[in-house]
Each structure stands twice: as structure tokens, then as C-alpha cells.
Amino acid sequence: MAESTTDTAAAPGAQQATIVLAGATGDLGGRIAKHLLLRGANVRALVRAGSAAPAVVALREQGAAIIEVDFNNEAELTKACAGATCVVSALSGLREVIVETQTRLLQAAVAAGVPRFIPSDYCIDYTKLAIGSNRNLDLRREFAERLDKAPIRATSILNGMFTDLLTGQAPVILFNFKRVVYWGNADQPLDFTTTEDTAAFTAAAALDATTPRFLRVAGEVATIRGLQAVAGAVSGEPFRLFRVGGLGAFGTVIKVTKALMPTTDDVFPPWQGMQYLHNMFTGQPKLEPLDNARYPDIRWTPVREVLASREQVLA
């Protein structure tokens, strides 16, 4: 995957900015930390006490300050947030994490006098969706309600689907069968942004004191037909469209799949990914207007480059 091209010079005021980052040991969080450090920020990475994950070592080697905390202890979190200019969350999980842990982090940020908070959203525009249409996005909406009541400035980053998922995890482009699978309308515009670009934009936003409540970005807006054309061009072989059915039928399949699967703590069970695609195919959570031009130093990675990188790996 091609990475964002960012100016490694520190942003104005970044040398004095201290960013508290929760979830820094995850894929997205680690990338956010990297881009914050490239921009000259002081990064405090919050990790669970006793964590010896390789990601912690990598963060320390890059220059981040590792702060061990008990995420259930608001006093420890408040101490870790003292003097910070922004708290950024890249936490991943279900209700205990997205709602409860983030709430404790929010309360700590407020108690410490931190002026800004960026929650762990990084998704399609859930504000346009009906409650109950997506479990994971409902959790983000629930936390957003608490966030909007807190005496702190908040900014959510909305980026559509991570483009990286198109290389295999999202069942849309089936490379082995040379098919592009979809439900509904093949001409519905869809938003895609790489994990790397999302991290670069989030880092820039964390150091920008003027951000609004929501920032919406899409590395590329593509239709199913557009994905078909790109996949064919990159592979050198024609891909065909496979319309499984309408959105009503897709909704029924999701309900049946969910009913047949045992209850687990899996954050992304198959039916959750199906819900996300269903939401996108409806067009309701389409991101607009886009804020791509807000930070001119960020180069947005097109779908073609992501798919081409997959072909290079397999070659």
C-alpha cells in the first residue's frame, strides 16, 4: 500500500503540542503516532500496565512517551492527560471500550483541562443512519451523545471504508474469481480511504486548534463499476460484475446470518461487515462535503495504488 506523502517539517506550534493517544498499539493508532511524531508533536501513548507488546517497543523507539495506565482508573487517566493539547482515541472494541472506556478517558480529559478530544470513529457518516442499522456505529453514536454534552471541543474523523480492506478482507473484489460482488446499485458512489491516509489526516487534525465537530475525507470516491475497471486494469484480466440481489434481500441475509451465529465478543463478526456494506450501498452515509483539501501536504492514495500493491506482493 502506498503511504501518504506528508511534509515532515513540524506544523506551526507542534513542538509545544502534547497529544495523548489511546489505542496507539493498534494498527491505526500506531500510524497516528508515527504521523504526530513526524509533525513534531510530543506523543504520550497510553498503554495497559505491564504491556510488553512489540508495538510498545516500536512506539518508544520512534520517540513516543509510554504511559502505563489502568483504563478503569480515572485518576490515573487524568494525571496522564495533564498539560495535553488534545486527546486522540484510536481504541477498538464493543460497548465496554467504545462507550465506557472512552467515557472515562473523556472525563479525565475534562478534569485535566484538555481543550480538545478526537473520538475513535473513523467510519462512514453514522449521523445519517437509523438507530439499529449497525451495532458498532450505534456505539459510536451513543458515545457521541456523551461527548457533545461534555465541556470540551470535539472533532470526529469520518473516512468511509478503509481502502486496504478491498485487498481481501471485504468481500467485494474477489480476485481469484475475477468478480466484483455487490448488492443494489452498481453506480452508487462509495467512500474509501487508506488506513495510512486516515492516520495522517487525524494527526494533522489533532494539531489543528480550529477543527469543526466533524471532518469528512475520502481518499477516493468510487462506484462498483469503477472498482471493476480498476481491478481489471491492475490485474490485466477482465473482472465481471456479480449482483447478488437488492438491498432488501441483503438485509434479510444479514438478519439470518446474525441469528445463526453464536453470541461472541468479536468486534467484527461476518454479519457486522455485511451491515457496514449494506449501509454504504444505500448511499445514506455518503460523506459530504469532503475536507480533503484542509491539509494540502497530504497526498491521497487512490484505489488503484492499493490494488496494485497487492498484485506486486503476489507476483
Side-chain angles (χ1 to χ4, degrees), residues 43 100 142 228 298:
V43 176
E100 302 304 338
E142 183 179 350
Q228 175 194 19
I298 295 177

Side-chain angles (χ1 to χ4, degrees), residues 124-131 133 137-138 141 158 191 214 216 279 282-290:
I124 52 182
D125 195 344
Y126 60 83
T127 67
K128 298 179 179 179
L129 296 173
I131 295 174
S133 68
L137 299 187
D138 282 347
R141 187 201 312 270
L158 304 179
D191 299 310
F214 288 94
R216 302 171 176 85
N279 293 148
T282 68
Q284 294 177 2
K286 178 73 184 69
L287 301 174
E288 53 187 3
L290 293 178

Side-chain angles (χ1 to χ4, degrees), residues 57-74:
V57 177
L59 286 165
R60 184 178 287 112
E61 290 177 346
Q62 291 178 66
I66 305 302
I67 310 297
E68 293 190 350
V69 296
D70 176 355
F71 281 93
N72 293 313
N73 189 321
E74 191 176 320

Side-chain angles (χ1 to χ4, degrees), residues 93-100 102 120-121 126 134-145 267 272:
L94 297 179
R95 194 174 194 284
E96 176 55 35
V97 176
I98 297 301
V99 179
E100 302 304 338
Q102 280 201 121
S120 187
D121 284 350
Y126 60 83
N134 188 301
R135 178 198 66 181
N136 289 11
L137 299 187
D138 282 347
L139 296 175
R140 282 158 172 76
R141 187 201 312 270
E142 183 179 350
F143 177 70
E145 292 175 355
V267 179
Q272 174 61 41

